[in-house]
Amino acid sequence: MRDISKAAVIGLGSMGWGAALSLLRAGFAVNGCDVRPEVLQRFSEAGGRACDTPAAAADGVETVFVYVVNNAQVEHVLFGPQGALETAAAGTVFLLCTTMAPSATIAISERLEAAGMLIVDAPVSGGHVKALSGEITVMASGSNEAFERSGAALDAISAKIFRLGDRPGPGSQVKMINQLLAGVHIAATAEAMTLAAKAGIDLKTLYDVLRVSAGSSWMFENRGEHIVAGDYTPRSAVDIFVKDLGIVRSEAERTGGVTPLAETALNLFVEASEAGLGREDDAAVAKILARKCGATLPGMEG
């Protein structure tokens, strides 16, 4: 029997971790699954039930949040050996929070529906801080029944839920456009801060001015601060935007869209990844531009 007070989170990275803790604070019993034993240990200490496999996590719960990296991992944790479908009861709601190409989301959702499951296409935005506080934005699409059954769990992890359609797909489409803007804004932030460093402008002063001026953006406020501090601890890694802007490229090619700014940003993220920065914070693309022009950013001395 499923219990509506029980939820599972598969993938306890920065966003999944925040969702799992938010569910615990809201009174849910939460099964957490991750491939890293140390993360499972921390989750157990936080009051959750640590599960070694997706199958164990999905057993007996009403809602399953999937927070892994890409569509291949989603397929593995759902349909692979010891995957969630081995134990999930018919009617379990799967909330697909992974950023995927819309076509991949639709294909995975069709397989879940064929197995008797309910699906909410539910990519999220807001960063790890808002994930920890339960204040992320969810770009969601799915059936009324899926939303009704997962409503309390969705409310626990988010501040805003946009219902974008009654079938999986539109949520992933809107998230793709969000990631186009996010990636371009990070690249633009890196370019601006690097040019300022090369020109001899004090970066902290520049940041304080621009964050309250017309040229600012949420990404400038957030990633600009990382660059000023020389702190490239990965909240969201370079390789995430290699994936996400790669989705933008492939969908643009499929639909005939024109995305020159996204293409330029993608090339910068790919270059950073190939230079060994793939697991650093995505603001580390600034290092690539700094090296090219001979500028020195905080955290690059020596």
Side-chain angles (χ1 to χ4, degrees):
M1 293 290 292
R2 297 190 310 271
D3 186 334
I4 61 171
S5 68
K6 291 183 178 180
V9 179
I10 300 174
L12 297 173
S14 61
M15 299 298 286
W17 178 264
L21 293 189
S22 296
L23 288 162
L24 287 171
R25 284 196 303 271
F28 284 80
V30 185
N31 295 342
C33 178
D34 199 271
V35 296
R36 297 163 295 174
E38 68 276 12
V39 173
L40 292 178
Q41 177 64 32
R42 284 173 50 217
F43 185 62
S44 180
E45 292 168 357
R49 176 174 175 259
C51 298
D52 293 331
T53 67
D59 190 13
V61 304
E62 174 77 359
T63 54
V64 179
F65 290 84
V66 181
Y67 271 97
V68 293
V69 173
N70 54 38
N71 64 289
Q73 290 188 7
V74 173
E75 291 175 1
H76 179 73
V77 301
L78 295 181
F79 310 118
Q82 298 186 305
L85 284 201
E86 289 189 3
T87 58
T92 300
V93 184
F94 283 82
L95 299 110
L96 304 180
C97 302
T98 300
T99 300
M100 297 185 281
S103 55
T105 299
I106 292 168
I108 289 168
S109 297
E110 288 174 348
R111 292 180 68 183
L112 286 170
E113 288 175 342
M117 306 301 162
L118 298 171
I119 302 94
V120 179
D121 175 14
V124 299
S125 184
H128 75 292
V129 173
K130 289 187 177 181
L132 285 170
S133 62
E135 296 178 308
I136 58 171
T137 296
V138 184
M139 307 165 205
S141 58
S143 69
N144 285 334
E145 184 179 4
F147 274 106
E148 288 169 5
R149 291 199 183 185
S150 62
L154 275 171
D155 287 341
I157 70 164
S158 63
K160 295 180 181 178
I161 303 168
F162 291 96
R163 290 190 61 171
L164 303 169
D166 60 5
R167 295 286 303 161
S172 290
Q173 287 179 318
V174 172
K175 179 59 186 295
M176 175 184 68
I177 303 303
N178 180 80
Q179 294 308 92
L180 184 160
L181 286 168
V184 168
H185 287 171
I186 293 169
T189 295
E191 182 176 299
M193 298 299 271
T194 304
L195 178 60
K198 185 65 175 177
I201 301 171
D202 179 76
L203 295 187
K204 179 62 167 62
T205 300
L206 179 78
Y207 175 76
D208 289 341
V209 172
L210 294 187
R211 66 188 293 269
V212 294
S213 299
S216 189
S217 66
W218 191 93
M219 280 300 187
F220 176 83
E221 283 197 45
N222 189 273
R223 301 320 199 258
E225 188 173 38
H226 298 178
I227 294 169
V228 169
D231 180 7
Y232 297 99
T233 304
R235 289 83 162 180
S236 174
V238 165
D239 281 344
I240 294 295
F241 275 94
V242 173
K243 172 182 74 80
D244 290 358
L245 290 176
I247 290 171
V248 172
R249 171 194 276 173
S250 64
E251 290 295 300
E253 290 174 348
R254 189 178 66 83
T255 61
V258 180
T259 55
L261 298 181
E263 187 70 20
T264 298
L266 172 59
N267 290 339
L268 182 60
F269 283 104
V270 169
E271 187 174 355
S273 181
E274 292 175 347
L277 305 177
R279 295 191 176 183
E280 292 196 18
D281 190 80
D282 48 37
V285 293
K287 294 182 182 180
I288 297 298
L289 298 176
R291 290 169 185 169
K292 287 183 174 181
C293 70
T296 300
L297 297 171
M300 290 183 64
E301 290 83 0

